Amino acid sequence: SSELTQDPAVSVALGQTVRITCQGDSLRSYYASWYQQKPGQAPVLVIYGKNNRPSGIPDRFSGSSSGNTASLTITGAQAEDEADYYCNSRDSSGNMRVFGGGTKLTVL
Amino acid sequence: QVQLVQSGAEVKKPGASVKVSCKASGYTFTSYGISWVRQAPGQGLEWMGWISAYNGNTNYAQKLQGRVTMTTDTSTSTAYMELRSLRSDDTAVYYCASMASRDGYIIDFEYWGQGTLVTVSS
């Protein structure tokens, strides 16, 4: 079982806004990073830190955090955003890394 | 640009060992560490551990302690992950990823290799 909990699946209409959440006690102390993975491909970093995007990641992707919950928001979802999204952070001890179970995003 | 190129697919029998390589380019290898992550078929991502390319320090997932060894060869900018006593549930795609420090944050998985499929089957 994962120390970070994500909803297994979320859907959004094309052009609308969607929030993907990640819950875990360690998120009270550590920021989450977010990764996008499309079928047959390696994951890609989309958000790190408080709300930082690597170069090349569209600004429709944003991150936030409150209490034990981190969120990835896609404002104006596009068809190409359909993918699995994983959060990642440290575990409660701070020594190990852990991934959430992943959220499958469907763009309708 | 940063590139991580991994070795090819492997088929192993239960009880055997596998060693996956990850050759880095496009940055100073010893500045950051290398993380390893695996993904079983149809499943999520599982963190395996990391190694500092600067001093060789390692940190392994408790679940894999005693079966996994991560090493680096700084002369060739290559990281290695060896997994021993393979079982069928070790069948997965194994990824390496570069670590980095950006904007004051530590990023554990900034750039990823293409993945290496390891199949464990009798």
Side-chain angles (χ1 to χ4, degrees):
Chain A
S1 64
S2 173
E3 294 190 38
L4 298 178
T5 301
Q6 298 182 241
D7 291 328
V10 170
S11 62
V12 61
L14 184 67
Q16 296 304 300
T17 296
V18 63
R19 176 174 291 182
I20 298 170
T21 61
C22 174
Q23 289 189 301
D25 286 342
S26 64
L27 298 179
R28 297 183 185 277
S29 304
Y30 303 102
Y31 286 113
S33 297
W34 290 91
Y35 300 84
Q36 176 193 69
Q37 186 180 34
K38 296 181 179 179
Q41 298 183 18
V44 172
L45 175 68
V46 296
I47 291 289
Y48 66 94
K50 188 175 184 180
N51 180 19
N52 296 66
R53 281 176 291 105
S55 60
I57 301 301
D59 61 5
R60 63 179 179 271
F61 289 88
S62 63
S64 62
S65 184
S66 178
N68 73 336
T69 301
S71 300
L72 172 70
T73 300
I74 307 174
T75 303
Q78 302 299 302
E80 61 264 33
D81 299 334
E82 187 163 287
D84 293 326
Y85 290 85
Y86 294 90
C87 62
N88 150 254
S89 188
R90 301 193 181 206
D91 72 347
S92 301
S93 75
N95 292 324
M96 304 295 170
R97 303 329 188 235
V98 63
F99 285 96
T103 296
K104 182 176 182 60
L105 176 65
T106 300
V107 180
L108 304 172
Chain B
Q1 74 283 18
V2 174
Q3 273 196 310
L4 300 172
V5 179
Q6 300 184 220
S7 48
E10 304 260 14
V11 179
K12 297 291 183 181
K13 294 193 182 302
S17 299
V18 68
K19 192 169 186 177
V20 179
S21 68
C22 169
K23 184 171 177 58
S25 61
Y27 72 101
T28 302
F29 183 67
T30 51
S31 293
Y32 306 115
I34 294 286
S35 294
W36 290 88
V37 175
R38 69 180 181 178
Q39 186 171 36
Q43 302 301 307
L45 302 174
E46 179 185 10
W47 177 72
M48 300 180 67
W50 62 263
I51 180 168
S52 166
Y54 173 71
N55 59 16
N57 286 350
T58 56
N59 186 13
Y60 300 142
Q62 286 186 323
K63 174 181 178 180
L64 298 173
Q65 289 271 2
R67 287 208 298 141
V68 68
T69 301
M70 297 175 187
T71 57
T72 59
D73 181 345
T74 56
S75 69
T76 60
S77 298
T78 302
Y80 299 91
M81 186 285 301
E82 181 180 33
L83 189 61
R84 300 176 293 279
S85 302
L86 290 168
R87 309 185 289 247
S88 58
D89 62 357
D90 291 318
T91 294
V93 175
Y94 288 75
Y95 294 102
C96 62
S98 60
M99 302 173 75
S101 176
R102 300 274 182 258
D103 304 312
Y105 299 107
I106 299 295
I107 302 173
D108 290 312
F109 320 98
E110 185 179 40
Y111 293 99
W112 296 65
Q114 83 276 19
T116 297
L117 176 62
V118 175
T119 303
V120 183
S121 174
S122 55

PDB file of all heavy atoms in Angstrom, chain A residues 11 15 19 25 27 29 33 44 47 73 89 92:
ATOM      1  N   SER A  11     -12.153  12.343 -14.777  1.00  0.00           N
ATOM      2  CA  SER A  11     -12.415  12.764 -16.154  1.00  0.00           C
ATOM      3  C   SER A  11     -12.718  14.258 -16.192  1.00  0.00           C
ATOM      4  O   SER A  11     -13.136  14.854 -15.196  1.00  0.00           O
ATOM      5  CB  SER A  11     -13.571  11.969 -16.751  1.00  0.00           C
ATOM      6  OG  SER A  11     -14.754  12.200 -16.016  1.00  0.00           O
ATOM      7  N   GLY A  15     -11.189  21.451 -22.476  1.00  0.00           N
ATOM      8  CA  GLY A  15     -11.181  22.876 -22.213  1.00  0.00           C
ATOM      9  C   GLY A  15     -11.564  23.266 -20.797  1.00  0.00           C
ATOM     10  O   GLY A  15     -11.431  24.446 -20.422  1.00  0.00           O
ATOM     11  N   ARG A  19      -8.822  19.058 -11.197  1.00  0.00           N
ATOM     12  CA  ARG A  19      -7.871  18.994 -10.092  1.00  0.00           C
ATOM     13  C   ARG A  19      -7.645  17.532  -9.730  1.00  0.00           C
ATOM     14  O   ARG A  19      -8.617  16.790  -9.493  1.00  0.00           O
ATOM     15  CB  ARG A  19      -8.378  19.763  -8.885  1.00  0.00           C
ATOM     16  CG  ARG A  19      -7.473  19.653  -7.653  1.00  0.00           C
ATOM     17  CD  ARG A  19      -7.960  20.553  -6.538  1.00  0.00           C
ATOM     18  NE  ARG A  19      -7.781  21.967  -6.890  1.00  0.00           N
ATOM     19  CZ  ARG A  19      -8.096  22.970  -6.075  1.00  0.00           C
ATOM     20  NH1 ARG A  19      -8.605  22.721  -4.887  1.00  0.00           N
ATOM     21  NH2 ARG A  19      -7.898  24.210  -6.455  1.00  0.00           N
ATOM     22  N   ASP A  25       0.157  11.955   5.082  1.00  0.00           N
ATOM     23  CA  ASP A  25       0.637  12.704   6.248  1.00  0.00           C
ATOM     24  C   ASP A  25       1.961  13.417   5.965  1.00  0.00           C
ATOM     25  O   ASP A  25       2.206  14.514   6.459  1.00  0.00           O
ATOM     26  CB  ASP A  25       0.791  11.763   7.434  1.00  0.00           C
ATOM     27  CG  ASP A  25      -0.541  11.354   8.032  1.00  0.00           C
ATOM     28  OD1 ASP A  25      -1.552  12.047   7.764  1.00  0.00           O
ATOM     29  OD2 ASP A  25      -0.581  10.341   8.765  1.00  0.00           O
ATOM     30  N   LEU A  27       2.873  14.937   3.494  1.00  0.00           N
ATOM     31  CA  LEU A  27       2.707  16.163   2.708  1.00  0.00           C
ATOM     32  C   LEU A  27       2.540  17.391   3.603  1.00  0.00           C
ATOM     33  O   LEU A  27       2.564  18.521   3.112  1.00  0.00           O
ATOM     34  CB  LEU A  27       1.512  16.024   1.762  1.00  0.00           C
ATOM     35  CG  LEU A  27       1.640  14.916   0.725  1.00  0.00           C
ATOM     36  CD1 LEU A  27       0.399  14.835  -0.147  1.00  0.00           C
ATOM     37  CD2 LEU A  27       2.882  15.125  -0.139  1.00  0.00           C
ATOM     38  N   SER A  29       4.775  18.052   5.641  1.00  0.00           N
ATOM     39  CA  SER A  29       6.164  18.458   5.826  1.00  0.00           C
ATOM     40  C   SER A  29       6.936  18.620   4.529  1.00  0.00           C
ATOM     41  O   SER A  29       7.935  19.348   4.489  1.00  0.00           O
ATOM     42  CB  SER A  29       6.905  17.428   6.689  1.00  0.00           C
ATOM     43  OG  SER A  29       6.262  17.225   7.924  1.00  0.00           O
ATOM     44  N   SER A  33       5.918  16.259  -5.880  1.00  0.00           N
ATOM     45  CA  SER A  33       6.194  16.468  -7.299  1.00  0.00           C
ATOM     46  C   SER A  33       5.156  15.679  -8.083  1.00  0.00           C
ATOM     47  O   SER A  33       4.579  14.715  -7.570  1.00  0.00           O
ATOM     48  CB  SER A  33       7.598  15.971  -7.664  1.00  0.00           C
ATOM     49  OG  SER A  33       8.589  16.695  -6.976  1.00  0.00           O
ATOM     50  N   VAL A  44       7.128  11.946 -17.151  1.00  0.00           N
ATOM     51  CA  VAL A  44       7.696  13.279 -17.370  1.00  0.00           C
ATOM     52  C   VAL A  44       7.330  14.148 -16.175  1.00  0.00           C
ATOM     53  O   VAL A  44       6.168  14.188 -15.755  1.00  0.00           O
ATOM     54  CB  VAL A  44       7.132  13.914 -18.669  1.00  0.00           C
ATOM     55  CG1 VAL A  44       7.582  15.364 -18.788  1.00  0.00           C
ATOM     56  CG2 VAL A  44       7.560  13.105 -19.883  1.00  0.00           C
ATOM     57  N   ILE A  47       5.454  19.176 -12.355  1.00  0.00           N
ATOM     58  CA  ILE A  47       5.433  20.151 -11.261  1.00  0.00           C
ATOM     59  C   ILE A  47       6.393  19.676 -10.169  1.00  0.00           C
ATOM     60  O   ILE A  47       6.420  18.484  -9.837  1.00  0.00           O
ATOM     61  CB  ILE A  47       4.027  20.304 -10.651  1.00  0.00           C
ATOM     62  CG1 ILE A  47       3.074  20.984 -11.637  1.00  0.00           C
ATOM     63  CG2 ILE A  47       4.086  21.098  -9.335  1.00  0.00           C
ATOM     64  CD1 ILE A  47       3.356  22.472 -11.874  1.00  0.00           C
ATOM     65  N   THR A  73      -3.469  20.963 -10.776  1.00  0.00           N
ATOM     66  CA  THR A  73      -4.594  21.534 -11.499  1.00  0.00           C
ATOM     67  C   THR A  73      -4.214  21.751 -12.957  1.00  0.00           C
ATOM     68  O   THR A  73      -3.135  22.272 -13.247  1.00  0.00           O
ATOM     69  CB  THR A  73      -5.038  22.866 -10.871  1.00  0.00           C
ATOM     70  OG1 THR A  73      -5.434  22.628  -9.516  1.00  0.00           O
ATOM     71  CG2 THR A  73      -6.217  23.463 -11.637  1.00  0.00           C
ATOM     72  N   SER A  89       6.580  12.051  -3.151  1.00  0.00           N
ATOM     73  CA  SER A  89       7.166  12.845  -2.083  1.00  0.00           C
ATOM     74  C   SER A  89       7.974  11.915  -1.192  1.00  0.00           C
ATOM     75  O   SER A  89       8.280  10.781  -1.580  1.00  0.00           O
ATOM     76  CB  SER A  89       6.060  13.550  -1.277  1.00  0.00           C
ATOM     77  OG  SER A  89       6.614  14.464  -0.349  1.00  0.00           O
ATOM     78  N   SER A  92       6.864   9.257   5.728  1.00  0.00           N
ATOM     79  CA  SER A  92       6.766   9.922   7.027  1.00  0.00           C
ATOM     80  C   SER A  92       8.117  10.069   7.720  1.00  0.00           C
ATOM     81  O   SER A  92       8.337  11.017   8.469  1.00  0.00           O
ATOM     82  CB  SER A  92       5.816   9.136   7.940  1.00  0.00           C
ATOM     83  OG  SER A  92       4.538   9.038   7.349  1.00  0.00           O
TER      84      SER A  92
END
